[in-house]
Amino acid sequence: MTDPITVTTQAELDAAIAAGARVIDIRSEPGSYITVRACDSTTVTACGSTTVRAYGSTTVMACDSATVMACDSTTVTAYDSATVRAHDSATVTARPRVAVHCHSRRASIVGGVIIDHTQEPTDPDAWCAYHGIEVADGVATVYKAVGDNWISPHGTSYAPGTLPEAADWRDDNDCGGGLHFSPSPAEATAYHREATRWLAVGVSVADLRPILGDTPKCKAPRVATPCRPVTIDGDPIEVQS
């Protein structure tokens, strides 16, 4: 078997994949995030306290206390006290004590302790509480993933300090017809895989409408507090406009 290449940062992982590595061992620092995109027949092992977001057709083996967010058609084999979050059509095989959070009815899960998240509340207050969203004075803090120019894939600008408003607002729990947000920057990235910037925004809970689907998101007609740049971990940052 090919000897694994050990990486500890996103840059090292990207370089290993670009170099054609087929077996990669991720051992990042606790609290850091690593994103793995589709990379043909590459197998990635996440060990220690690594947190991995996997997309495309990636194969991930999760060991120790690693956490894997599996999206698209990712395949995960989980051991020890690893935690897996299964979205979309992810396939998960887990040892008996592995916690598997199921966010999609299309996910295939064998073994583990399954925690079913497929029945999300549609009440705005209950939805915010369910996802641990910070709410202050009736305003919920949610997140948006954008490109270098602060523009979303659908063409809306979320430049720092602005208050975007939807011209196509539709008051329902379906996708479309409003500005769309996620409970965390990492979850927002599922809707913009090439995102390079992230923003925290305040949305009035009275305006917020949970969107039913595999990956948690909500929509609103407008932003209630100015857009604020954050890291993918949600930490506030200062950036050049």
Side-chain angles (χ1 to χ4, degrees):
M1 181 177 178
T2 303
D3 290 335
I5 293 178
T6 299
V7 301
T8 60
T9 66
Q10 184 72 58
E12 290 177 357
L13 174 63
D14 293 343
I17 292 174
R22 286 291 173 255
V23 181
I24 301 173
D25 185 2
I26 299 177
R27 296 178 179 271
S28 63
E29 291 296 321
S32 63
Y33 289 82
I34 297 288
T35 298
V36 183
R37 304 187 189 279
C39 42
D40 301 324
S41 58
T42 298
T43 297
V44 175
T45 301
C47 300
S49 300
T50 298
T51 299
V52 172
R53 294 178 296 269
Y55 302 99
S57 301
T58 306
T59 297
V60 178
M61 289 186 290
C63 306
D64 303 330
S65 56
T67 298
V68 176
M69 179 189 294
C71 302
D72 300 334
S73 300
T74 297
T75 298
V76 177
T77 303
Y79 306 91
D80 307 322
S81 56
T83 298
V84 179
R85 298 185 181 276
H87 298 266
D88 307 322
S89 299
T91 297
V92 178
T93 301
R95 291 281 177 87
R97 296 187 180 182
V98 171
V100 181
H101 295 258
C102 180
H103 295 269
S104 170
R105 294 183 181 89
R106 294 182 288 125
S108 175
I109 302 170
V110 176
V113 178
I114 300 175
I115 303 167
D116 189 353
H117 297 272
T118 59
Q119 298 292 332
E120 287 195 53
T122 56
D123 174 78
D125 287 295
W127 188 85
C128 289
Y130 177 77
H131 288 289
I133 291 172
E134 179 184 346
V135 177
D137 298 324
V139 176
T141 298
V142 288
Y143 299 88
K144 190 73 180 180
V146 295
D148 284 339
N149 54 4
W150 306 107
I151 294 177
S152 76
H154 295 286
T156 300
S157 174
Y158 291 86
T162 63
L163 295 166
E165 186 166 350
D168 62 346
W169 172 245
R170 187 179 67 242
D171 192 354
D172 57 27
N173 295 101
D174 297 325
C175 192
L179 306 178
H180 293 63
F181 306 101
S182 299
S184 70
E187 288 163 310
T189 307
Y191 297 100
H192 188 1
R193 302 290 168 72
E194 305 306 320
T196 54
R197 287 177 164 175
W198 296 267
L199 297 127
V201 304
V203 171
S204 171
V205 175
D207 290 340
L208 186 151
R209 298 294 179 267
I211 297 174
L212 305 180
D214 291 342
T215 306
K217 64 178 175 178
C218 65
K219 67 180 183 180
R222 63 188 62 84
V223 169
T225 60
C227 299
R228 309 183 306 279
V230 295
T231 67
I232 195 169
D233 300 323
D235 299 322
I237 55 174
E238 296 291 336
V239 299
Q240 298 281 337
S241 60

